[in-house]
Amino acid sequence: MFPASTYSDRRRRLAESLGEGIALFPGHDQAPMNYKDNYYPFHQDRSFHYYFGHSLPGLTGWLDLESGKARLYGYDPTLDDIVWTGPQPSLAELAEAIGAEPRDAQELTGDETGSSRVHYLPPYRGDTVLRLADQLGLTPEEVKSGASARLIAAVVAQRSIKDAAELEELERAVEISWAMHTTAMKVTRAGRSEQEVLADVLHEMNRRGGQTSFAVILSVRGETLHNHHHGNIIEDGQLLLHDSGAVAPSGYVSDITRTFPVSGRFDGRQRAVYETVLAAQQAALSVIAPGVPYADVHRVAGRTLAEGLVALGILRGNADEAEAAGAHALFMPHGLGHMMGLDVHDMEALGEDRVGYDEEFQRSDQFGRRSLRLGRRLQPGFVLTVEPGLYFVPDLIAGWRAESRMSEYIDYDVAESFLGFGGVRIEDDVVVTESGCRVLGPAIPKTIDEVEALMGDR
Ligand code: GLY
């Protein structure tokens, strides 16, 4: 956790930007897996975490937006709690650690929230909806439709800009990713299962105090974008795509992808596809700067991918025209990246478009481009992922071919000769600086030479 002044300062700035009413931040309760006392690993709501610091269940944050006064609602541990879970801090100690007043959660009723406007963020868990309904005297439907657009906008504006202390924590999360990724490259061998490699990766994460920031993608079938199946036996000649992220003990996260050959050596076709994806990432990194719309960065990467696809004979004609038409998106159906911070898709619970778009930049409806989560102009302090890829998805290629979709640009015979190739994605986490961007964390092998050197002869 940061010092109490960090949370007081965040809340003061939020209150100043809104100026009236009460803001409520419901923290998470434990989520039962299969019966009441057997929980999923606890994961705090990230806006509560940002303004009220604690990653513990059963707390609610309250902020008077006129005076800036804050309260932490919760319960003191009972003797029974202590018997089962050991000594716990009192509510007063928790409140003091974040510069707030302690209050018993039972007092948080309609009267306590006051007659003034109560602002809250969109609740995305059923138990939070019910709790808010109870506290505010509303129906669950009223709660779901009643989130405050002004609070959402103010929180997005604030959480989008990462300060120096947050960047340090994000670097820590990427350090854990470094260990996870270099381990995957070292321990992958033909004959092992994806599950065994995953176990080694998770071991490195756990021993560093990390948790996964999303379900790990680690597969020789990398063309499935979110492939969480780990049942394949790894074979020489295949590529392994590994996309994973860690939650550092502070709650800040990472999200990194590397793709490498099982044999430790890229063959000719793997090399050509990989170099194209790497060039797209480098092109994107070279144009990221304050004021640049991320929608434009996505297109810079797309044009580089289209050039590479033309060189491979998969696309034909003019690469820029093919990119403008969206033909390359058959092979990169996702967006170039997203905001990252306390969430891996940062603040997505507040609304994807409210985080990534604004009045100036609206989401495209073109296939591929419409999956871009972040389109608006970049600002110093934004942290985001840069993750171009190329994938050969059999069903998608077959579907487009059946419709002769963009056949002026796509040579479907050549594309089909890549079926079984899998997919390549390369992803780093960057902070936008005053003049460009900086890749976070220690360098994780990325060029072909770096990857092959780490993997060695096998
Ligand atoms: N890297 C996984 C995701 O962004 O969804």
Side-chain angles (χ1 to χ4, degrees), residues 214 217 226 243 255 257 338 344-345 373 385 387 425 427:
F214 58 93
I217 299 158
H226 281 179
D243 179 353
D255 180 5
T257 308
H338 49 81
V344 68
H345 293 177
R373 292 186 156 90
T385 66
E387 47 179 311
R425 179 161 65 252
E427 175 179 21

Side-chain angles (χ1 to χ4, degrees), residues 148-372:
S148 161
R150 288 186 62 220
L151 181 62
I152 293 169
V155 170
V156 168
Q158 202 174 348
R159 285 183 56 190
S160 292
I161 311 290
K162 275 65 180 182
D163 65 19
E166 292 181 282
L167 289 173
E168 250 179 63
E169 295 304 327
L170 287 158
E171 299 263 9
R172 290 211 170 105
V174 184
E175 274 169 33
I176 301 175
S177 276
W178 169 87
M180 295 164 78
H181 279 275
T182 52
T183 297
M185 289 179 194
K186 287 180 195 160
V187 305
T188 292
R189 292 269 183 295
R192 295 196 86 195
S193 67
E194 294 164 343
Q195 189 66 50
E196 286 173 308
V197 175
L198 175 65
D200 290 342
V201 165
L202 295 179
H203 173 76
E204 288 305 318
M205 180 194 74
N206 285 329
R207 61 194 284 268
R208 287 168 171 78
Q211 292 178 300
T212 49
S213 54
F214 58 93
V216 174
I217 299 158
L218 188 151
S219 180
V220 293
R221 296 270 52 92
E223 74 274 20
T224 300
L225 300 180
H226 281 179
N227 195 340
H228 302 307
H229 171 77
H230 305 121
N232 295 307
I233 301 295
I234 297 166
E235 294 171 20
D236 269 334
Q238 293 177 320
L239 289 170
L240 190 96
L241 188 152
H242 170 206
D243 179 353
S244 67
V247 187
S250 61
Y252 286 84
V253 308
S254 56
D255 180 5
I256 303 281
T257 308
R258 289 292 184 268
T259 310
F260 51 90
V262 172
S263 68
R265 293 282 173 272
F266 288 85
D267 68 24
R269 219 161 60 148
Q270 291 169 345
R271 189 171 275 268
V273 173
Y274 192 91
E275 290 287 17
T276 298
V277 177
L278 186 58
Q281 202 211 34
Q282 283 162 345
L285 292 173
S286 74
V287 296
I288 291 175
V292 176
Y294 204 56
D296 288 0
V297 183
H298 174 88
R299 295 206 52 188
V300 166
R303 282 194 282 275
T304 310
L305 293 175
E307 281 162 20
L309 290 166
V310 169
L312 285 163
I314 297 170
L315 293 185
R316 53 186 161 223
N318 179 289
D320 287 358
E321 287 173 17
E323 183 278 335
H328 71 298
L330 174 56
F331 310 101
M332 180 174 155
H334 62 76
L336 182 64
H338 49 81
M339 298 275 244
M340 197 190 78
L342 282 167
D343 300 297
V344 68
H345 293 177
D346 210 22
M347 300 171 279
E348 210 157 277
L350 308 187
E352 218 175 290
D353 284 3
R354 291 183 194 263
V355 176
Y357 291 87
D358 55 18
E359 282 181 9
E360 188 185 5
F361 289 92
Q362 275 105 51
R363 189 182 285 266
S364 164
D365 55 13
Q366 188 184 75
F367 180 80
R369 242 185 264 169
R370 71 177 176 226
S371 299
L372 180 62

